[in-house]
Amino acid sequence: MRININYTCDDCHVKAVFKSYKKARADGWAVSGDYKNCYCPECAPPHRLGGANGKSTAPRRWLPEGYEQLKLDV
């Protein structure tokens, strides 16, 4: 196990030192799954994913805007 791990926010370049990524996450830092990107607690909310934070994508439309499915006579 590492003694100290340096974390630098990718947005505002704030630096902090934690003993593990679990301690960093517990302190509010957002650390990506591959550990390459991290964000301080101030910058983290826009980068967090999931419906719990109000992020959701609209369902993809099958037809372009303005077009509609015509009724098919069988």
Side-chain angles (χ1 to χ4, degrees):
M1 189 164 106
R2 298 180 184 173
I3 306 270
N4 289 324
I5 304 170
N6 296 322
Y7 289 91
T8 304
C9 178
D10 291 344
D11 284 348
C12 65
H13 305 290
V14 171
K15 295 182 181 183
V17 178
F18 297 100
K19 291 196 178 271
S20 69
Y21 74 92
K22 290 181 181 178
K23 303 252 184 200
R25 286 183 175 163
D27 200 34
W29 282 68
V31 182
S32 67
D34 59 1
Y35 309 106
K36 291 183 179 179
N37 300 325
C38 62
Y39 302 97
C40 70
E42 299 290 324
C43 300
H47 296 281
R48 294 189 193 275
L49 300 176
N53 291 320
K55 285 193 173 183
S56 63
T57 58
R60 184 175 174 211
R61 297 182 55 95
W62 286 94
L63 296 171
E65 190 69 39
Y67 288 91
E68 295 181 10
Q69 177 74 37
L70 298 176
K71 181 179 177 185
L72 298 176
D73 294 327
V74 183

